[in-house]
Amino acid sequence: MLKIQDLTVAVEGKKLLEHFSLEVQKGQVHVIMGKNGAGKSTLAKVLAGHPAYRVVSGEIRFLDQLLPDSVEERALKGLFVSFQYPLEIPGLSNFDFLKLALNAKRRFLKKKPLLSSEFEKLYLEKGALAGLKPELLKREMNQGFSGGERKKNELLQMALLEPALAVLDEIDSGLDIDALKEVAGAIQKLKGREMALILITHYQRLLNYLPVDFVHVLEGGRLVKSGGLDLASELEEKGYEAFL
Ligand code: ADP
Ligand code: MG
């Protein structure tokens, strides 16, 4: 599904990822852990196609093809990247935005766009699965949403777009323990058997509630260790310093 080979990424000449390789198969859940500033969000942004992050060398293949240049094309082909800090966008109806996004994808897949009434049914259904209260679904994008609600709104986008690969950047940050359990439960419900997931996180606690296949530790833009779930517990116990 995803094959990143020897990737080096720079912003304004500064290398933020170096010789980074990762392979993700259909349905797998990979976790990227690391301290603040390790390069985790850089990975998410370069996958999304953020223009400031330049691929210096290496390659990214997605679904057996080179990742297209355009952000739109990446999204249409089934890549989804959530924001670490989702923004509030006054004036943009959450409903209209997500309807447009889903219908753009449906057009790309040569499916008929959904009418508002058809979309509404799906929107409410997936909104409930993501754990968002119905009154929030009527608002403008993230308008007055708490941190946890914004994260759930990211999951609603994922639920509607049904990506082949979703990269969730610190979907657990800023959540209290109840919200964390809810978000983990929602991820589990929304992740189809085929969907692959890259979970970027700082803490091990989210992993207590989700099935995980691989854990990778990133430090200074380099992958320093990969392993199974036990690696996350080891990190929690010994701290990141033990791995450097
Ligand atoms: P993480 O998500 O692991 O906390 P980031 O990927 O956000 O880390 O950042 C990695 C490093 O790259 C940090 O030192 C950060 O300051 C730097 N960095 C990230 N984005 C930019 C940018 N657009 N311009 C300059 N430096 C950046
Ligand atoms: Mg980050």
Side-chain angles (χ1 to χ4, degrees):
M1 175 140 300
L2 180 74
K3 192 168 185 183
I4 304 178
Q5 263 180 314
D6 204 29
L7 185 73
T8 295
V9 173
V11 174
E12 293 164 4
K14 186 179 160 203
K15 285 182 184 161
L16 305 185
L17 279 181
E18 280 187 84
H19 305 293
F20 180 92
S21 297
L22 180 71
E23 234 181 283
V24 179
Q25 312 283 353
K26 210 189 256 183
Q28 288 182 341
V29 179
H30 288 248
V31 177
I32 312 269
M33 301 185 76
K35 291 195 296 195
N36 275 326
K40 304 184 298 299
S41 294
T42 298
L43 175 65
K45 287 174 188 168
V46 81
L47 286 172
H50 191 302
Y53 296 73
R54 201 169 57 82
V55 174
V56 177
S57 59
E59 66 172 34
I60 308 175
R61 297 183 72 82
F62 177 54
L63 299 170
D64 276 335
Q65 287 180 330
L66 277 180
L67 197 59
D69 285 335
S70 104
V71 175
E72 287 76 12
E73 211 178 319
R74 292 180 191 198
L76 291 172
K77 290 203 163 148
L79 182 62
F80 176 84
V81 180
S82 78
F83 284 107
Q84 179 172 357
Y85 304 108
L87 292 176
E88 183 174 319
I89 307 184
L92 177 66
S93 134
N94 206 53
F95 179 93
D96 289 345
F97 170 65
L98 292 180
K99 190 181 88 180
L100 280 169
L102 177 59
N103 278 341
K105 181 152 186 190
R106 289 180 64 89
R107 259 182 232 107
F108 177 78
L109 297 173
K110 310 255 186 291
K111 290 184 186 171
K112 234 174 72 201
L114 296 180
L115 302 171
S116 272
S117 55
E118 294 167 323
F119 177 74
E120 187 176 11
K121 198 167 156 269
L122 194 66
Y123 181 72
L124 293 175
E125 188 187 300
K126 302 275 186 178
L129 277 176
L132 280 165
K133 293 194 206 88
E135 63 263 32
L136 294 178
L137 295 171
K138 294 185 195 130
R139 293 203 196 155
E140 292 169 8
M141 193 162 181
N142 292 325
Q143 184 204 11
F145 280 28
S146 70
E149 288 162 351
R150 287 179 191 216
K151 296 296 167 92
K152 289 176 188 167
N153 202 23
E154 296 289 293
L155 292 181
L156 168 58
Q157 292 185 31
M158 177 180 92
L160 286 167
L161 296 171
E162 299 183 328
L165 170 68
V167 182
L168 303 180
D169 193 357
E170 297 209 22
I171 198 82
D172 52 342
S173 68
L175 302 186
D176 59 41
I177 191 73
D178 293 327
L180 180 76
K181 281 189 196 163
E182 270 176 41
V183 161
I187 294 173
Q188 221 169 341
K189 269 186 275 172
L190 297 173
K191 180 191 171 308
R193 205 174 339 143
E194 307 247 295
M195 191 197 290
L197 207 56
I198 297 180
L199 289 170
I200 293 174
T201 181
H202 196 72
Y203 300 107
Q204 189 233 341
R205 47 180 209 165
L206 177 69
L207 314 184
N208 294 331
Y209 307 105
L210 280 175
V212 164
D213 298 303
F214 299 96
V215 174
H216 311 276
V217 182
L218 193 63
E219 170 57 31
R222 290 171 179 266
L223 255 189
V224 292
K225 192 154 183 173
S226 294
L229 195 54
D230 44 334
L231 180 56
S233 337
E234 207 181 325
L235 264 175
E236 188 83 347
E237 208 177 292
K238 298 184 186 158
Y240 283 107
E241 297 306 324
F243 291 87
L244 311 185

